């Protein structure tokens, strides 16, 4: 079969290769007929010349030829380019919608697990465009990081070349997926035109005292001469060389995120569009605690060990102090205790050098060693033994904790293990001391064994004791935070160079703005041992911009989370050479309306981005709300046949192979259909095959009728007089309503919408009168409904109806209440909880009438059989439940 398309008018032929007429003669007759019937206007005047194309008809959707052609056309016509919003003439006055997925690391190859995230974001972007929004949907690359250095070591490839190759492949794959990104705004964080602004932002933070350098304990591999992240320490050993890892104090750069702690915490209450679990995660990570900091004087030293506590009401129950081995006072304590104690302290500290923070705080059994020294409780004046322990870290809080075994579970276990006293100083109201305690009593109560505070309620005692230590000059009320300043130093090559110089005469000097960017030097040997930049004299040695004397560059590079904490603003103005972004454009586009990405970024990227944006807001570089992301959505994982995808299992499902075997639209539909997007999905061969069959059913239900469907507008309800026709039109509008509802509610349960499309195709397949206005209406409407989810087949069907602009530039179908109205409902009737009848009824039937209908049904009457009805339950338009006895 052939179809001749002439400017949107169509003529469908019989089999041109087996009929009596030759194909050319058949086509010629079609062209003549179309010319006279369609190309002339009603008055007979010829219209302008139109292109004539010959379209093959097939029983199945030929995705291979169609999908690639549409991707090329979309790219060529630039239909997804966002126009900067403005109310001024000549600019786009549509309401803006800024949506994006977290930018990927260019690791080399994408699989369908990645595609789940990008397909979800694309369906949202496409729907919002069709709802009349000016959509900004950009893409870029989080391109710095350790994997590129590993590739340099393992394969002898420069990080830049490896990264560039991976970007090219992954960009191709994202385009292959039919995504609607505005590629004119593409960024890559490893390019100088981007990381120049990393350095500029760092210097602004530095000027405001928010970037500083100090010594801090790090995981250090003595073999590779490099710092390791906690995740790179496996069983106490370097993940790369297997050498035992040490904890060392090194001079490191930090960002003072704690200066914004209260603002970051309190603003969470206003993030209504964020998942509650994410906000809870950030609250817990920030860990704000109101309490008292005070000191225990060390016997034999003119110094005190400072502790912070939220439970100063338990201070009379302190029976030991737990101190980190790295605490600065430990070195002084070793000088006042016996040699035996001093050696033991050193050995204990050495045993922890290879232990990561995670091991010490969470995985190891809590242990410690008595130092031989004592401190004095400032309130009870009791001597308190000082212990070094493995679970207290110098960088957390004050590096010391007061041990109150009777009222803290961890302290209770530690005291039991080491036979330390357990003194109860809080009892439940109205009760007396229970001795011995079988477990720590951790709740508030009434103070006992606490001198002047005996009998006082805990809450009141906390206030009184805080005032007491303040009056004594040994303590004060304060607020403590669990999280710490952000360590941004990395002893790596493939990252943004920190723009600081060191001059013997001038000290620490910021690189002037007009000398930015500080470029990464090419051809630096990367061995995995130490900092590559520190070994490059041409990079390190420079001139001080203040005095003109010799200076050395900082050899550390920035944590890659730095560049991903503001990249969304660069999308707004990616080619600006004078500023990181235009404040005017930021005020028009920000905030990001919808952000999509993994929940694993709760306390890193998402928290850092909020910190940066608040700083930007303080500088006047952005306006409005001081939060970057209005709404946040976390997508779920994707398994393959019930297992996590991994190369070792051999079950990674690639995008290329899936697109080649099943088509992109089928892949997209399955990813959206399998589960609600926040849930874990399961990729199966049966599932993707089902979506292939669905697309073929769409094709068969639509393609043969496209020419006639153009006569029925999808924007007006067709004339329908029969129940089957009304049901079909209603199925169109049920699907149309779901298209809009899933984005307006921000649920994004497109699996529900696709299920409605399944029902629509079932209804079209079963509908017998294929020439009826209701059917042709459904055919014409179908591409508009499919467009956000299966964009290629949608545009193909739309084009074959003669439309010259893309379906993706059209408006969605607005659901019509009249079309959605139903003539009849089905009431389910239960007797004692069991279904006994299904009865047709009018919509909105009241309870009395519904009960009457139910009691009139012979099946219900047989169940009642003279018994009394004890209870009647009516759920409007759904259920009648009769309880008989």
């Amino acid at each position: 079969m052939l179809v001749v398309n002439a400017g949107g008018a169509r003529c469908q032929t019989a089999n041109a290769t087996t009929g009596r007429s030759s194909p050319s003669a058949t086509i010629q007759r079609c062209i003549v007929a179309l010319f006279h019937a369609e190309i002339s206007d009603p008055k007979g005047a010829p219209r302008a010349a139109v292109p004539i194309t010959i379209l093959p008809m097939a029983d199945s959707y030929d995705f291979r030829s169609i999908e690639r052609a549409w991707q090329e056309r979309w790219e060529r016509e630039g239909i997804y380019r966002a126009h900067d919003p403005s109310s001024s003439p000549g600019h786009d006055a549509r309401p803006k919608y800024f949506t994006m997925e977290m930018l990927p690391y260019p690791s080399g190859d994408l699989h369908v697990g990645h595609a789940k995230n990008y397909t979800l974001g694309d369906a949202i972007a496409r729907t919002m465009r069709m709802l009349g929004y000016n959509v900004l949907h950009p893409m870029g690359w989080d391109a710095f990081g350790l994997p590129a250095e590993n590739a340099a070591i393992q394969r002898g490839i420069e990080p830049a070349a490896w990264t560039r190759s991976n970007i090219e492949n992954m960009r191709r794959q994202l385009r292959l997926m039919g995504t609607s990104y505005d590629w004119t705004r593409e960024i890559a964080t490893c390019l100088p035109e981007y990381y120049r602004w990393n350095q500029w932002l760092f210097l602004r933070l530095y000027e405001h005292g928010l970037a500083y350098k100090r010594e801090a304990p790090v995981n250090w591999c003595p073999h590779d001469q490099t710092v390791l992240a906690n995740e790179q320490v496996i069983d106490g050993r370097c993940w790369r060389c297997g050498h035992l890892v040490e904890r060392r104090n090194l001079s490191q750069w930090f960002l003072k995120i704690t200066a914004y702690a209260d603002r970051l915490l309190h603003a969470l209450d206003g993030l209504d569009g964020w998942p509650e679990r994410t906000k809870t995660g950030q609250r817990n990570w920030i860990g704000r605690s109101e309490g008292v900091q005070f000191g225990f004087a060390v016997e034999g030293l003119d110094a005190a060990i400072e502790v912070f506590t939220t439970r100063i009401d338990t201070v009379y129950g302190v029976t030991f102090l737990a101190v980190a081995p790295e605490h600065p006072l430990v070195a002084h304590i070793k000088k006042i205790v016996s040699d035996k104690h001093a050696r033991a302290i050193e050995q204990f500290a050495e045993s922890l050098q290879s232990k990561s923070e995670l091991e010490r705080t969470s995985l190891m059994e809590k242990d410690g060693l008595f130092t031989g020294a004592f401190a004095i409780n400032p309130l009870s004046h009791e001597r308190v033994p000082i212990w070094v322990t493995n679970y207290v870290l110098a960088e957390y809080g004050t590096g010391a904790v007061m041990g109150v075994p009777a009222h803290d579970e961890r302290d209770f276990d530690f005291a039991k293990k080491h036979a330390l006293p357990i003194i109860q100083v809080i009892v439940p109201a109205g009760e007396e001391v229970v001795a011995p305690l079988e477990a720590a009593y951790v709740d508030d109560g009434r103070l006992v064994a606490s001198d002047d505070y005996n009998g006082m309620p805990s809450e009141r005692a906390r206030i009184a004791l805080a005032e007491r230590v303040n009056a004594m000059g040994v303590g004060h009320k304060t607020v403590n935070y669990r999280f710490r300043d952000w360590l941004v130093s990395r002893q790596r090559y493939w990252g943004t160079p920190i723009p600081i110089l060191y001059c013997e005469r001038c000290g620490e000097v910021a690189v002037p703005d007009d000398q930015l960017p500080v470029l990464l030097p090419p051809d630096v040997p990367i061995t995995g041992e130490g900092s590559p930049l520190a070994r490059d004299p041409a990079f390190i040695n420079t001139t001080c911009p203040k005095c003109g004397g010799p200076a050395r560059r900082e050899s550390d590079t920035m944590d890659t989370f730095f560049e991903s904490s503001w990249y969304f603003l660069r999308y707004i103005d990616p080619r600006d050479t004078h500023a990181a972004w235009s404040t005017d454009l930021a005020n028009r586009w920000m905030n990001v309306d919808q952000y999509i990405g993994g929940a694993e970024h709760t306390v890193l990227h998402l928290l850092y981005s909020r910190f940066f944006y608040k700083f930007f807001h303080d500088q006047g570089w952005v306006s409005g709300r001081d939060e970057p992301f209005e709404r946040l959505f976390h997508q779920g994982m994707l398994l393959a046949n019930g297992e996590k995808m991994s190369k070792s299992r051999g079950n990674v499902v690639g995008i290329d192979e899936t697109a080649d075997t099943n088509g992109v639209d089928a892949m997209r539909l399955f990813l959206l259909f399998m589960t609600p997007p926040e849930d874990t999905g399961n990729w199966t061969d049966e599932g993707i095959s089902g979506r292939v069959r669905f697309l073929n059913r769409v094709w068969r239900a639509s393609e043969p009728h496209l020419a006639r469907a153009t006569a029925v507008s999808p924007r007006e309800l067709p004339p329908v007089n029969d129940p089957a026709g009304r049901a079909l039109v209603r199925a169109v509008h049920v699907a149309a309503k779901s298209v809009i509802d899933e984005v307006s509610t921000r649920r994004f349960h497109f699996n529900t919408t696709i299920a409605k499309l399944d029902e629509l195709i079932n209804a079209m397949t079963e509908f017998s009168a294929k020439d009826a206005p209701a059917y042709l209406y459904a055919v014409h409407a179908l591409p508009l409904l499919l467009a956000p989810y299966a964009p290629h087949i949608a545009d193909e069907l739309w084009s074959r109806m003669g439309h010259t602009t893309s379906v993706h530039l059209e408006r969605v179908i607005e659901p019509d209440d009249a079309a959605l109205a139903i003539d009849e409902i089905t009431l389910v009737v239960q007797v004692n909880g069991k279904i006994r009848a299904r009865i047709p009824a009018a919509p909105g039937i009241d309870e009395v009438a519904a009960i009457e209908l139910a009691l009139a049904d012979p099946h219900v009457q047989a169940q009642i059989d003279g018994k009394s009805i004890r209870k009647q339950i009516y759920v409007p338009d759904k259920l009648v439940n009769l309880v008989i006895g």
Side-chain angles (χ1 to χ4, degrees), residues 543-820:
T543 302
C544 176
K546 282 188 174 181
C547 69
R552 291 178 58 81
R553 291 193 188 278
E554 172 62 70
S555 60
D556 285 359
T557 54
M558 296 183 200
D559 178 9
T560 57
F561 279 112
F562 192 105
E563 51 255 26
S564 63
S565 295
W566 68 276
Y567 75 101
F568 42 89
L569 283 160
R570 191 62 179 171
Y571 280 145
I572 290 170
D573 198 14
R575 305 294 171 254
D576 195 332
T577 59
H578 303 290
W581 62 85
S582 160
T583 298
D584 175 57
L585 290 178
N587 293 341
R588 291 189 240 165
W589 277 115
M590 291 299 289
N591 304 50
V592 176
D593 295 280
Q594 185 65 61
Y595 199 28
I596 303 168
E600 67 272 15
H601 295 292
T602 292
V603 296
L604 294 173
H605 162 62
L606 290 170
L607 188 61
Y608 297 156
S609 296
R610 295 182 60 226
F611 160 48
F612 268 37
Y613 202 76
K614 290 184 185 303
F615 173 70
F616 301 160
H617 194 275
D618 291 348
Q619 307 314 306
W621 302 335
V622 294
S623 63
R625 193 177 185 188
D626 64 350
E627 288 286 341
F629 313 123
E630 286 297 316
R631 288 180 291 276
L632 174 68
F633 190 92
H634 295 313
Q635 82 282 0
M637 287 181 58
L638 183 64
L639 307 178
N641 297 308
E643 293 184 327
K644 186 175 181 179
M645 290 189 209
S646 70
K647 291 181 179 179
S648 61
R649 287 194 180 97
N651 66 344
V652 174
V653 181
I655 288 175
D656 290 280
E657 63 189 80
T658 303
D660 184 63
T661 304
N662 303 294
V664 172
D665 281 346
M667 177 181 69
R668 291 171 58 106
L669 284 167
F670 183 42
L671 289 169
L672 295 170
F673 180 66
M674 61 176 66
T675 59
E678 68 271 23
D679 293 346
T680 297
N682 187 34
W683 183 276
T684 64
D685 293 339
E686 295 81 3
I688 184 66
S689 296
R691 292 302 94 192
V692 171
R693 290 194 297 272
F694 167 78
L695 288 171
N696 286 328
R697 293 181 71 213
V698 166
W699 189 259
R700 290 194 296 270
S702 303
E703 214 287 335
H705 313 287
L706 295 174
R708 297 190 302 279
T710 58
V712 181
S713 171
R715 305 298 179 187
E716 299 176 4
L717 293 180
V720 179
N721 299 313
D722 60 300
R726 283 194 294 273
L728 182 57
V729 172
R730 184 174 186 277
V732 170
H733 283 262
V734 166
K737 185 175 186 302
S738 185
V739 169
I740 296 173
D741 285 352
E742 292 307 325
V743 292
S744 63
T745 62
R746 285 101 188 184
R747 290 194 324 157
F748 309 134
H749 286 190
F750 299 127
N751 55 307
T752 301
T753 307
I754 294 169
K756 303 299 182 188
L757 291 169
D758 278 344
E759 294 170 5
L760 173 58
I761 295 303
N762 288 340
M764 292 176 70
T765 302
E766 295 168 3
F767 197 84
S768 58
K770 305 297 187 187
D771 289 328
Y775 189 85
L776 299 177
Y777 173 79
V779 170
H780 206 162
L782 187 57
L784 294 165
L785 301 173
L786 283 169
Y789 323 115
H792 306 87
I793 194 172
D795 234 345
E796 181 68 15
L797 294 174
W798 190 250
S799 173
R800 288 191 179 215
M801 283 187 278
H803 297 288
T804 56
T805 57
S806 171
V807 70
H808 304 294
L809 300 178
E810 298 290 329
R811 293 277 302 195
V812 295
I813 294 176
E814 297 286 346
D816 189 289
D817 290 340
L820 290 169

